[in-house]
Amino acid sequence: ELRTPLTLVTGYHRLLVDYDPITELTASDPAMAELVTGLNEAIDRMQVVIDEVLAFSRIMTNEIRLEIRPTYMAQVIEQAIERFQSAIDERNITIHYDAAHWPAEMRADAALIALTFENLLSNAIKATPDSGHIYLAARAKDDWVRMVVRDTGVGIKPEDQVKIFEHMHIVGEIGLHSTSKTAFGGGGLGLVLAICRGIVEAHGGTIKVKSPVFDSANYPGSEFIITMPLVPKGSGMSASLVSTG
């Protein structure tokens, strides 16, 4: 029901931008080009919102199955960085990342682990002011890996550090949020961290956050820590995604 009208809007939008008179007009009229670009960005944003709702719905109803296979974490992280590279460059954020520290191979659902780190990186970008820093680190020991996403952003109140992993919990004043996935102070539906928790726990891992305080003037930062087995139990077959509720 959510996808059907959006599919129609997306289709008509593509027809519109490929229509010769519109193409000529956007090429000669900056105002028209801005309108078309804004429409495209709005459609993309709506697609992201719908994907978040559907992913969380599947987690809550235990309808997603993990496809466990060899997963190269350095590749996962590099793809997540690449996805947000334009925003990282535009906002002059420095990413600290060393591929050599990440497991050469682990077994996981690569697509869902990629979604997890895309969400965490997006959150870090939104929490971090321009010219800030984001650190992506990992350390494997025995049969486990500890992966960290740390930012130099506004931080999180201690009383919110458990609640943020619950669905529909939004930190800060909603009225001050933008709808962007990468703008400083950007908001959302309050689902992405619940989705991250569901995915990590389905792999037999845990996710938590550390932050001394929320401070929009001094930027104490936040640290999201994921601990996961390198080889989940039952990894020889698909595993049901556990409910986060």
Side-chain angles (χ1 to χ4, degrees):
E1 292 300 323
L2 290 170
R3 286 194 185 280
T4 300
L6 184 61
T7 299
L8 289 173
V9 171
T10 302
Y12 284 125
H13 172 259
R14 288 174 179 169
L15 291 173
L16 183 67
V17 297
D18 290 337
Y19 185 47
D20 288 342
I22 297 296
T23 302
E24 294 171 3
L25 186 56
T26 55
S28 60
D29 187 342
M32 185 58 149
E34 184 176 353
L35 291 174
V36 172
T37 299
L39 178 60
N40 184 61
E41 291 175 350
I43 291 172
D44 288 345
R45 178 61 180 139
M46 182 59 70
Q47 184 65 62
V48 170
V49 169
I50 290 175
D51 288 344
E52 288 177 3
V53 171
L54 293 178
F56 183 72
S57 174
R58 290 175 181 138
I59 288 173
M60 292 299 294
T61 56
N62 199 25
E63 292 182 356
I64 297 180
R65 296 182 67 82
L66 297 181
E67 298 294 333
I68 301 297
R69 62 190 63 186
T71 300
Y72 303 93
M73 286 306 303
Q75 186 179 56
V76 168
I77 299 302
E78 287 162 8
Q79 289 175 346
I81 295 172
E82 183 179 357
R83 177 179 176 185
F84 298 111
Q85 192 63 61
S86 60
I88 291 167
D89 293 341
E90 181 181 344
R91 299 192 45 220
N92 195 32
I93 292 174
T94 302
I95 302 292
H96 301 265
Y97 160 72
D98 186 343
H101 294 164
W102 292 76
E105 182 179 324
M106 58 187 289
R107 295 189 65 81
D109 186 308
L112 290 178
I113 291 299
L115 175 62
T116 298
F117 278 92
E118 286 176 5
N119 284 339
L120 291 177
L121 182 56
S122 171
N123 271 9
I125 292 170
K126 290 188 293 185
T128 303
D130 292 0
S131 301
H133 297 259
I134 295 174
Y135 300 82
L136 303 165
R139 180 169 61 89
K141 184 178 181 181
D142 299 327
D143 297 328
W144 293 80
V145 58
R146 183 178 187 268
M147 300 175 284
V148 177
V149 178
R150 180 167 65 89
D151 62 63
T152 56
V154 295
I156 302 170
K157 296 177 182 177
E159 60 267 28
D160 285 329
Q161 292 180 25
V162 174
K163 296 177 182 177
I164 58 173
F165 294 105
E166 300 171 359
H167 67 282
M168 297 298 185
H169 185 81
I170 299 173
V171 176
E173 295 293 332
I174 296 176
L176 300 179
H177 286 178
S178 75
T179 59
S180 172
K181 295 287 287 183
T182 55
F184 181 49
L189 297 178
L191 293 179
V192 293
L193 290 177
I195 292 170
C196 291
R197 187 183 72 168
I199 292 170
V200 170
E201 290 181 351
H203 285 81
T206 60
I207 182 171
K208 62 181 180 180
V209 63
K210 292 182 179 180
S211 182
V213 69
F214 175 87
D215 188 338
S216 58
N218 297 305
Y219 305 117
S222 302
E223 185 177 35
F224 285 84
I225 303 165
I226 292 175
T227 304
M228 284 178 51
L230 289 170
V231 181
K233 291 183 179 179
S235 61
M237 62 188 73
S238 296
S240 295
L241 184 59
V242 298
S243 167
T244 65

